[in-house]
Every structure is written in structure tokens, then in C-alpha cells.
């Protein structure tokens, strides 16, 4: 494709692929797209190893990293340790999780594990420092306005900083804060997402920021035809995540892949029950337990909800993989509504190739609709 | 535009405009699109008058009618009168509405009015018979599989029958039932809608029915660039509704138009609190009262919820127009997330013209993204 964005990033096709898996990142970059490693779950030394592996694999081709440094979180500015934060998780919530496990024939662990505060914003700076020792060509922040140090680091080194937004008001704030690339993400997206659909939020954001920076469309995009539709609307390209979860390179657990291949677009739910902020994931008895109903429970704020839930969800996942029925009913995974269109495991390179072919066919279709 | 659908319907541009207002229907048809009159709220004799007016206004150009004949509703097959149905509205629900009114400084009427059972499916046949005495070129059913008599009437007379669907499974059923045109409608649509976004449900439906009948895209579409995006994806055109509510011809109340012009895409909510089935509308203290929360109340099934609510909502609307503050806080209106892009009152003809221009610009954008 020919576009200012392709020139800026040195890529052939403006398909941005978010993944927690280095193999996917490298495969997409090597196929002419742009891989972005989700870095939040890594420790600084792990991240360093992952990025070194990618550097070797892509031979100078461009890739980026995605951090989640929320603008608002419990304990912000209080310099709390992980155990200080853990102390803020009420006993009633711990009991609730235990009851939910027992109801699914899973005995709670005698010593409760509380997860790391990676969504507290406290670890972002260290991870960024590690990333900057590698030739990253994009720094993305997936939740809220990036902290000043991130924007400054990008400006100093000439590395564009991207931010994900779910509403036009947020896009305007992000541009004012100095962000170089907006990812306008619809409610159909996997993971954290807003309420507005991609088809509406993309033109709203484009109108609101009026060309100040390029806009990538995100949310529900798992095919080239959808990407082409978004480029017709004025997006500079697509930001994707879910579609890579069922690639050969992904480290998604086999039972999760099976669930995703079988899922229709109606098998996801937007719920705050995993991290404390609304995020889209596979519907399960875990997500049911956090629905806003008479029996439901208001999730805790970032990062407390994920500190409470992540270790349990990971344990559930291990049991589910072993065939435990209660665990399989509870198991969930971040994924968007596009899961309804994900029906086959493929190599990531093949997904990129199909995106390009499908994009070209879509452009033909639109062109053929014109008279003469 | 050149397309099989344009040839089939004798139109220049495959923009279908649903409206309750005959002036909008005629204006869109006369501007080269296809107007569709929402007929459900009319009595048979009223509908006859409206269609006669349209016949005069369009001089043989094509238009259609849209009925809402639900496949499932309370009392189906029981041959109940309106008052039999009304007796099934529990006293606690009547009290709840009265309490909500009093909390907004509105005294409930001494004699409660209960609305007509237009969503019971009982009046659809009569309305259809009236429509068939006019040269309608499309019969649409907005909720569920059309009844056999509707599909048979269409086949006998060579009039295509369209159905709105919010999920691919429903599209497959509709095609099997003999429907000629599928409107795949996303969750961002105004009025009754499913859970899946337009960007996902359109390709899902296209894939599921594999060319058996043409598919129009619906939900959130208020601009030509969005329509172009959908055509690039394989849709045969667009089905729209919300965008006509703020045209000069629409009979939308001035305070409602003002609310819509000011609204962002985040000011709507999908709620069953108006008809008993989930529908998208402006957020208000009315819709808040029916949220699924500890204080919320499970809405009644079709048609009971609308029989209970419609007369009250209409009265609230009259009071709101007079400047009553409590009524303004309660007032709501069916509209989609596209409301965030509706910022100016325009003639309907002008909206069609802008759609065409914007569509052409979008086609250029996509074409220019290709190499060479």
C-alpha cells in the first residue's frame, strides 16, 4: 500500500498486530505489517529477553511495544507496595471468589496468591526504560493518556507514541497531551474497551481531531475487508489483537483456542469483573458472576480487581486444560466480537497475506460499485 | 451507483431510509434513494392516507413499508383482546411507573391509559393488506422471522420481503423462511437491536448466507463514508433510520432534536425498558430506572411493556416540550450511536446528496491507498 503512514513506519501494509507473543510480533513484522508486543505482564528482565529475541528475528524491520499505564488507579501518588495494595482488597471479595471456586468443585488454595500490581502504573517506567534499549519504532499506551515521561521519551528519541481511545473526547485529550498516533477502538474489541462501536467511533474521532495525527481503526477487525472499510472511512490502517490468538505462533492454550474457534460473536461480554475496568472477553460463569445484577458485585478499582482475580483465573486455566469441568465453565479469555469470524488456526504470516488479498478485493468491490 | 440491487429496486443509490414520517420517505425516494415508511404505529385507515400521500408525492418512484410483527409475544395464539393483555400487566409495575413519575414531579393520571398492542403481532395483517393496495416495492419486517402470510403475499405479487437481523443465526433462518433481502443490523442501531456490532455482524451474515440474498448493512450508519465501508465489505447498500430524525421534514419534537444534536455517541443505551426487547435509545432517567441492577426491574414481555410505557412516555414528551424539568429528565427517544455524528438539521434531500458525495470521496480514499 502507498500511504504516509507506511512511509513513516517503513512498512508495506498498515496492519498493526498487538500480541503478547514474540513469535506473532516477529511474524507480522516480517510479513510487511507492524508487530507490537504487549509488555505489561513481563518483568523488566523478561521483557529485555523477549525484545532481544525479536531484534534477532526481524533483522531491523520495525516493531513496537505496548504498555498499560493507566491514568487513574487505586493508590496513585501514595507510593504503596504490592502488599499495601493487597490489604485494600476486602475480605468479602476474597470470600466471594472462594465461594465461586467451590461452586465449581475447585478448592481454594490454602495460601491465597495475590497478583502483581502491573495495572497500577508503577511498573510502566521500568518497562519503558528496558524497551528504549531496543530499536522499538512505536510506544503504545493502552489505557488512558500516557504519562509525561512516556511522551517525553518518545519525543526525545523520535519514536512515535500511540494511545488507544474509545471515545472522541479522549482522542482530543490525547492529541493535546502530545500523542502521535490515535488508535480509535470500538466496543467490539477484546480487552479494555469503551461503549461506542468501531463504525461510529472511528469517524467521530477523525472529525474531532481533524487530521492532527493519523488514526488507526480497532475493534472487531479480523479481516482485510473490514480494514479496507475503515481506510475508506479515513483511517490510516488497522490495529488488531484478537485475530492473532488463534494463529499457530500464539501461545494460547489449546482449550482456549478450541473455545474461540467454536465461539460466535455473541459469546463475548464486556465486563469489569476481570480488571476493574470494562473489558471484553469470552462469556463464562466467571464473567456471569460479575454481571451488574441483584446478585452481582461491583468490581474493585484498578489494580485491585486484577490482583484478586488474575492468579485465580490462571489457576482455573491450568485446571481447564486438564479437563476439569468446573474450571472449563469458569475459564475466560480477552477477545473481541471478531472471534465469530475466527474459524481456523493459521500461521500469522498467512493471516497477513489473507488480509492483503481481502483488502484488495474489497477495494475492487467499492470501485466496481461506481457508475461507468 | 451501478449494482444489481439498484437495478432490482429502480433506484440510483442503495440508501434505504426508514422513517415514521411520510415527508422523509418521499424526499429520500425522490432524491434517488429508497424511502421506507414505519407503519406499525398507524391504524389501517391512517396508513391508507399516509401511503396515498406518498403515492402522490413520488409519482411512481419506489418506496416500501416496514411492519413490526414479532415472532414471539405474550398471548400469542390465545386470541386475546387489548384489555385481556392489559390485565396481564402486574400492579407492581403500574405502581413503579407511578412512583417514577411522582419522583419527577409528574402526577400520574387518575385513569391509567394503556397503550395499544401494536407490538403483539395482531395488527400486522390488516396493515399489510392496506399496504398492498398501494404500489409498495418492499415489505420489511423489523422483528423476527416474518409471518407466513407476509412472505406469501410478497411472493404472489413479486414484492421483495426484507427482514432485520442482529445475528448470523437469525439471517440463516430468515433466508430459509423465504426472505428476499437481509438487513444485518449492529448493536449501535437505534430501536430494537442485538449485541453484535455492525462491523462484525455484516461480514458474519454475508459469510453465513453466502450470497443467497443481498445484504444491507444497518446500525450506526449516518454518513456516506460508513456506507462505502460497508459496500467495500460486501454489503449491497445501507439501511438507515436515526439520521432522518434531525432532518427538516421529520416530525421529531424540537426538544428531542435539540437533545440529539447535543448528544455524543455515548448518550444512548440499549435497554429493554421500553418495549420488553432490547432497543437503543437516548439515555434518560427513564432508561436508568430499567437498568439491570439491584434496584432495576425486569421489563415485561412484548407487547406488555410498551402497552404500559408508551402512553406515559408520550405524556412525558408533551410535558418535556412545555419545559417541565422532571419530564425532560425522563424523556427518551429511539436513536442509534450515530447520533454522535448528527450535528445539524438539514433537508432530507441534502442528507442524500451528502451521502453520495461522501461515498464517492471514500471510494477515492480506498482506491488511492493502493500502490501504483
Amino acid at each position: 500500500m502507498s500511504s504516509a503512514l507506511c512511509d513513516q513506519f517503513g512498512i508495506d501494509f498498515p496492519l498493526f498486530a498487538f500480541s503478547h507473543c514474540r513469535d506473532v510480533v516477529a511474524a507480522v513484522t516480517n510479513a510487511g505489517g507492524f508487530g507490537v508486543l504487549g509488555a505489561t505482564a513481563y518483568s523488566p528482565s523478561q521483557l529485555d529477553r523477549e525484545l532481544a529475541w525479536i531484534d534477532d528475528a526481524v533483522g531491523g524491520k520495525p516493531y513496537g511495544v505496548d504498555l498499560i499505564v493507566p491514568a487513574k488507579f487505586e493508590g496513585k501518588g501514595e507510593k504503596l507496595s504490592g502488599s499495601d495494595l493487597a490489604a485494600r482488597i476486602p475480605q468479602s471479595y476474597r470470600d466471594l471468589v472462594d465461594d465461586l471456586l467451590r461452586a465449581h468443585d475447585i478448592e481454594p488454595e490454602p495460601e491465597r496468591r495475590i497478583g502483581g500490581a502491573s495495572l497500577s502504573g508503577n511498573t510502566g517506567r521500568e518497562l519503558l526504560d528496558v524497551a528504549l534499549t531496543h530499536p522499538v519504532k512505536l510506544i503504545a499506551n493502552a489505557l488512558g493518556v500516557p504519562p509525561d515521561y512516556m511522551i517525553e521519551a518518545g519525543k526525545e528519541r523520535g519514536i512515535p507514541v500511540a494511545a488507544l481511545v474509545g471515545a472522541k473526547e479522549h482522542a482530543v485529550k490525547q492529541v493535546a497531551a502530545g500523542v502521535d498516533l490515535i488508535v480509535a477502538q470500538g466496543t467490539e474489541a477484546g480487552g479494555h474497551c469503551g461503549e461506542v462501536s468501531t463504525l461510529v467511533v472511528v469517524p467521530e474521532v477523525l472529525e474531532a481531531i481533524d487530521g492532527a495525527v493519523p488514526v488507526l481503526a480497532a475493534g472487531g477487525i479480523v479481516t482485510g475487508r473490514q480494514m479496507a472499510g475503515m481506510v475508506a472511512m479515513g483511517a490510516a490502517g488497522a490495529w488488531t489483537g484478537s485475530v492473532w490468538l488463534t494463529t499457530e505462533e500464539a501461545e494460547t492454550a489449546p482449550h482456549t483456542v478450541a473455545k474461540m474457534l467454536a465461539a460466535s460473536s455473541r459469546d463475548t461480554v464486556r465486563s469489569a469483573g476481570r480488571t476493574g475496568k470494562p473489558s471484553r472477553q469470552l462469556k463464562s460463569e466467571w464473567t456471569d458472576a460479575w454481571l451488574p445484577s441483584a446478585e452481582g458485585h461491583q468490581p474493585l478499582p484498578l489494580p485491585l480487581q486484577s490482583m484478586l482475580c488474575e492468579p485465580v483465573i490462571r489457576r482455573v486455566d491450568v485446571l481447564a486444560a486438564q479437563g476439569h469441568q468446573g474450571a472449563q465453565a469458569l475459564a475466560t479469555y480477552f477477545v473481541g466480537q471478531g472471534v465469530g469470524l475466527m474459524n481456523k488456526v493459521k500461521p500469522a504470516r498467512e493471516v497477513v497475506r489473507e488480509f492483503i488479498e481481502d483488502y484488495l478485493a474489497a477495494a475492487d468491490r467499492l470501485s466496481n460499485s461506481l457508475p461507468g
Side-chain angles (χ1 to χ4, degrees), chain A:
Chain A
M1 264 180 62
S2 73
S3 78
L5 196 82
C6 286
D7 295 344
Q8 182 187 355
F9 284 95
I11 53 180
D12 300 329
F13 189 60
L15 175 61
F16 289 68
F18 169 87
S19 174
H20 292 106
C21 172
R22 64 189 189 186
D23 301 78
V24 171
V25 171
V28 172
T29 283
N30 283 329
F34 192 99
V36 181
L37 186 73
T40 300
Y42 294 114
S43 70
S45 60
Q46 283 172 329
L47 179 62
D48 195 40
R49 278 197 300 276
E50 298 298 301
L51 296 183
W53 186 94
I54 292 174
D55 292 338
D56 277 350
V58 302
K61 290 203 187 72
Y63 72 91
V65 290
D66 183 291
L67 301 163
I68 306 184
V69 184
K72 286 181 210 162
F73 52 91
E74 177 73 17
K76 184 174 181 179
E78 295 183 54
K79 298 199 185 260
L80 301 176
S81 69
S83 57
D84 292 337
L85 278 166
R88 297 195 181 181
I89 301 173
Q91 187 59 42
S92 62
Y93 279 75
R94 300 167 186 247
D95 293 346
L96 189 161
V97 168
D98 289 351
D99 291 346
L100 189 60
L101 289 175
R102 287 198 194 94
H104 289 83
D105 298 320
I106 302 171
E107 196 50 39
E109 293 184 305
E111 287 270 309
R112 175 182 303 278
R113 278 179 290 166
I114 290 290
S118 65
L119 291 183
S120 71
N122 294 336
T123 57
R125 188 161 203 154
E126 276 180 277
L127 292 174
L128 179 64
D129 287 342
V130 168
L132 292 174
T133 65
H134 296 267
V136 296
K137 294 291 187 289
L138 179 75
I139 306 161
N141 191 47
L143 204 65
V145 175
D148 290 344
Y149 66 77
M150 194 184 284
I151 291 181
E152 282 160 20
K155 300 256 178 265
E156 261 173 36
R157 291 163 179 80
I159 304 170
V161 174
L164 273 74
V165 303
K168 67 173 177 180
E169 297 82 357
H170 301 164
V172 170
K173 270 191 214 165
Q174 298 273 13
V175 169
V179 156
D180 305 291
L181 179 65
I182 293 285
V183 181
Q185 188 191 46
T187 187
E188 52 267 69
H192 292 117
C193 61
E195 298 168 63
V196 186
S197 80
T198 304
L199 186 62
V200 173
V201 78
V202 169
E204 267 192 315
V205 165
L206 283 165
E207 194 176 273
I209 70 168
D210 196 21
V213 302
V215 174
L216 298 179
I221 302 175
V222 299
T223 66
R225 69 191 64 188
Q226 294 167 300
M227 178 176 169
M230 291 296 121
V231 171
M233 279 165 48
W239 178 277
T240 56
S242 300
V243 71
W244 312 104
L245 294 171
T246 53
T247 56
E248 284 179 6
E249 290 86 347
E251 287 150 8
T252 320
H255 70 281
T256 307
V257 170
K259 254 192 182 180
M260 287 181 181
L261 296 180
S264 96
S265 56
R266 293 194 289 170
D267 294 323
T268 74
V269 63
R270 181 175 176 264
S271 157
R274 184 143 178 193
T275 72
K277 300 244 331 161
S279 67
R280 189 170 295 281
Q281 52 217 287
L282 287 173
K283 270 181 201 166
S284 80
E285 291 180 18
W286 176 274
T287 62
D288 288 351
W290 298 97
L291 285 177
S293 69
E295 304 79 40
H297 311 272
Q298 195 64 32
L300 298 166
L302 283 179
L304 304 185
Q305 184 76 12
S306 61
M307 290 173 72
L308 172 67
C309 299
E310 282 307 314
V312 180
I313 290 177
R314 263 179 252 147
R315 188 168 158 237
V316 160
D317 229 28
V318 171
L319 292 171
Q322 294 164 1
H324 186 296
Q325 289 200 343
Q328 287 182 345
L330 285 172
T332 180
Y333 202 94
F334 294 122
V335 73
Q337 291 186 335
V339 73
L341 292 160
M342 289 156 49
N343 305 317
K344 207 176 156 218
V345 173
K346 295 169 196 165
R349 166 177 290 275
E350 178 72 10
V351 173
V352 177
R353 201 187 55 74
E354 286 184 7
F355 251 85
I356 295 172
E357 276 181 13
D358 201 36
Y359 183 100
L360 294 173
D364 268 355
R365 246 188 321 264
L366 185 55
S367 169
N368 290 336
S369 77
L370 303 179

